[in-house]
């Protein structure tokens, strides 16, 4: 209004002002058209790296308007009841094979009870069950259980590595976690074969949007050449992570025979990640170790993962031994804990199973 009034006071200036307004209008139109073209490209389902909308909660349109999308009120209730004050939850997934008595789920819950400052974290643990039997077992042992619709796929039995059921399970997990972010909840995702030995929150980076554990950590938490493990992530809910999870989930089309972790390794250096300014940090195996690269610091370790291990029974055997090692450490007087340097007795069964698996892969090449 102010510019228009000034231009109207002088005929010559008005003519020049009209041209200026036309040029501005053309520039705005060109920017808008370019934005729409980019938007259409991102949503083109024919592109292997397309980013489809699958929001269940509130999504923001290109014009900035908010739209309410349907979501499961049961899920919202479970997340709300388990949430910390800052809307953060701990999430794991569970099927019948891993929920059997004296199997992975029991050992997982036990680790929270014997860990340091971890028992209270059970109040914030949400168990996503993949079948009715697992859901019933979860409800018998834990207050925060949610049964996820699995779209006709049977996730009841042990999902052997890289089978179709395994891949479907991993990608359903990524899709679901993206929904949790869209609902405004940050989360720690943890595989159920991870033992929680210390409260990990002090070891997370304040500046990161997406933090992930590693099979092998090279010492630099910013280095994208680290080898991540999708079994343990800490993700803050914001626009960047919401778009990232959509991008990650849809990237499966470009790599149809890969699981989520290998696809992450393919896309972690993609320009899209830097364009949305997603801050990724890799977590040290000193604090977040596993059978691939064990933590050597009993006084620092937060979690230990039965990675680099093939077979449910092998994982169960070695995780029980791991908790025995931890119990012996915890029995030491506090003044001795800082002076001794214990080591893990594992992997044992897992080492043999993993080596056999590698040998079979090498023979198949």
């Amino acid at each position: 209004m102010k510019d228009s009034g000034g231009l109207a006071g002088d005929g010559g200036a008005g003519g020049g002002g009209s041209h200026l307004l036309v040029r501005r209008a053309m520039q705005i139109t060109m920017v808008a058209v370019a934005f729409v073209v980019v938007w259409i490209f991102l949503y083109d389902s024919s592109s292997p790296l397309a980013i489809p909308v699958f929001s269940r909660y509130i999504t923001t349109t290109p014009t900035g308007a908010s739209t309410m999308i349907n979501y499961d009120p049961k899920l919202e209730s479970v997340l709300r009841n388990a949430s910390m004050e800052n809307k953060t939850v701990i999430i794991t997934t569970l099927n019948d094979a891993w929920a059997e008595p004296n199997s992975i789920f029991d050992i997982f819950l036990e680790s929270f009870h014997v860990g340091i400052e971890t028992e209270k974290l059970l109040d914030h643990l949400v168990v996503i069950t993949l079948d009715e039997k697992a859901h019933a077992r979860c409800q018998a042992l834990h207050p925060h259980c949610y049964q996820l619709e699995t779209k006709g796929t049977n996730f009841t039995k042990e999902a052997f590595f890289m089978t179709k059921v395994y891949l479907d399970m991993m990608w359903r997990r990524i899709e679901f976690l993206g929904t949790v972010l869209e609902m405004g909840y940050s989360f720690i995702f943890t595989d159920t074969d991870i033992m929680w030995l210390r409260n990990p929150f002090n070891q997370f980076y304040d500046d990161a949007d997406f933090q992930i554990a590693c099979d092998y950590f090279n010492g630099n938490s910013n280095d994208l050449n680290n080898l991540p493990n999708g079994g343990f992530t800490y993700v803050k809910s914001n626009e960047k992570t919401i778009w990232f999870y959509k991008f990650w989930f849809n990237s499966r089309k470009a790599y149809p025979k890969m699981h989520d972790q290998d696809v992450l390794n393919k896309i972690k250096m993609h320009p899209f990640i830097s364009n949305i300014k997603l801050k990724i940090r890799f977590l040290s195996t000193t604090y977040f170790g596993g059978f691939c690269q064990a933590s050597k610091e009993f006084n620092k370790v937060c979690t230990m993962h039965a990675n680099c291990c093939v077979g449910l029974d092998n994982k169960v055997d070695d995780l029980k031994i791991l908790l025995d090692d931890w119990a012996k450490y915890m029995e030491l007087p506090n003044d001795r804990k800082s002076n001794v340097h214990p080591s893990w007795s594992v992997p044992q069964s897992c080492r043999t199973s993993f080596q056999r698996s590698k040998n079979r892969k090498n023979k198949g090449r």
Side-chain angles (χ1 to χ4, degrees):
M1 296 295 291
K2 197 171 186 178
D3 289 341
S4 298
L7 292 171
D10 186 302
S18 297
H19 290 302
L20 180 62
L21 288 174
V22 171
R23 286 198 298 272
R24 286 180 177 174
M26 291 179 65
Q27 290 173 345
I28 292 172
T29 301
M30 292 175 66
V31 171
V33 170
F35 182 83
V36 170
V37 170
V38 172
W39 190 260
I40 291 172
F41 170 76
L42 289 177
Y43 281 86
D44 178 8
S45 61
S46 65
S47 170
L49 297 182
I51 307 175
V53 174
F54 58 91
S55 297
R56 308 287 197 274
Y57 201 50
I58 297 177
T59 187
T60 303
T61 67
T63 62
S66 294
T67 304
M68 182 67 75
I69 307 297
N70 291 331
Y71 66 97
D72 187 349
K74 291 182 180 179
L75 174 59
E76 169 61 25
S77 177
V78 171
L79 293 174
R80 183 175 61 251
N81 290 335
S83 176
M84 302 174 191
E85 291 183 2
N86 62 352
K87 292 195 73 174
T88 299
V89 293
I90 301 167
I91 296 176
T92 194
T93 54
L94 184 68
N95 70 349
D96 180 42
W98 285 38
E100 288 291 326
N102 299 314
S103 191
I104 292 288
F105 188 47
D106 286 9
I107 302 171
F108 175 69
L109 294 178
E110 182 185 351
S111 75
F112 282 86
H113 292 294
V114 301
I116 299 173
E117 296 184 356
T118 52
E119 192 167 21
K120 61 185 178 181
L121 296 177
L122 285 171
D123 293 337
H124 308 294
L125 172 67
V126 175
V127 180
I128 306 302
T129 60
L130 304 176
D131 57 74
E132 292 183 2
K133 288 185 177 180
H135 191 68
R137 185 91 207 291
C138 178
Q139 289 183 313
L141 299 176
H142 189 69
H144 308 303
C145 308
Y146 175 76
Q147 187 171 353
L148 181 65
E149 180 185 351
T150 54
K151 301 177 181 178
T153 305
N154 185 356
F155 292 149
T156 300
K157 298 180 180 180
E158 181 180 358
F160 293 100
F161 186 64
M162 293 308 294
T163 60
K164 184 181 184 304
V165 172
Y166 175 87
L167 294 175
D168 288 346
M169 186 184 296
M170 295 301 101
W171 286 116
R172 184 69 181 99
R173 182 176 82 184
I174 296 298
E175 182 183 28
F176 172 79
L177 292 175
T179 299
V180 172
L181 294 173
E182 290 181 335
M183 295 174 69
Y185 290 91
S186 303
F187 61 78
I188 296 177
F189 176 80
T190 172
D191 275 346
T192 322
D193 61 344
I194 292 179
M195 301 294 98
W196 283 58
L197 306 176
R198 275 189 181 85
N199 187 325
F201 278 93
N202 289 334
Q203 305 307 327
F204 293 137
Y205 298 96
D206 292 335
D207 65 340
D209 302 300
F210 176 83
Q211 307 180 48
I212 187 166
C214 298
D215 282 337
Y216 300 97
F217 180 68
N218 66 15
N220 182 353
S221 67
N222 291 298
D223 189 355
L224 292 174
N225 291 306
N226 279 296
L227 296 179
N229 186 296
F232 190 92
T233 55
Y234 175 38
V235 189
K236 297 176 183 177
S237 175
N238 57 43
E239 290 185 3
K240 291 179 285 187
T241 56
I242 289 170
W243 280 108
F244 169 61
Y245 265 75
K246 291 177 180 179
F247 179 69
W248 188 3
F249 176 71
N250 216 58
S251 295
R252 75 196 190 286
K253 299 174 184 177
Y255 308 101
K257 295 184 179 181
M258 291 186 180
H259 59 73
D260 58 313
Q261 186 172 301
D262 284 346
V263 171
L264 175 61
N265 264 325
K266 292 289 186 181
I267 67 172
K268 63 187 179 184
M269 297 183 186
H270 193 280
F272 177 81
I273 306 300
S274 56
N275 288 343
I276 63 174
K277 301 186 185 307
L278 181 80
K279 180 64 175 177
I280 299 175
R281 296 292 288 266
F282 297 90
L283 299 170
S284 170
T285 49
T286 296
Y287 300 99
F288 304 92
F291 293 168
C292 298
Q293 190 176 67
S295 171
K296 297 179 181 179
E297 299 284 348
F298 271 62
N299 293 315
K300 295 180 179 180
V301 62
C302 296
T303 62
M304 280 286 287
H305 189 182
N307 52 6
C308 290
C309 183
V310 179
L312 174 59
D313 291 340
N314 295 319
K315 287 177 180 284
V316 169
D317 290 345
D318 277 9
L319 288 176
K320 287 180 178 180
I321 295 171
L322 186 149
L323 288 186
D324 285 341
D325 289 344
W326 180 253
K328 293 174 183 177
Y329 165 77
M330 291 295 291
E331 289 172 357
L332 293 172
N334 288 334
D335 58 348
R336 287 198 57 202
K337 286 179 180 176
S338 58
N339 297 322
V340 298
H341 299 282
S343 59
W344 301 105
S345 302
V346 289
Q348 293 183 18
S349 299
C350 283
R351 180 187 292 114
T352 302
S353 69
F354 185 64
Q355 189 59 50
R356 286 175 179 171
S357 177
K358 286 179 65 176
N359 290 342
R360 284 197 296 268
K361 288 181 180 179
N362 290 334
K363 289 180 180 178
R365 289 178 181 174

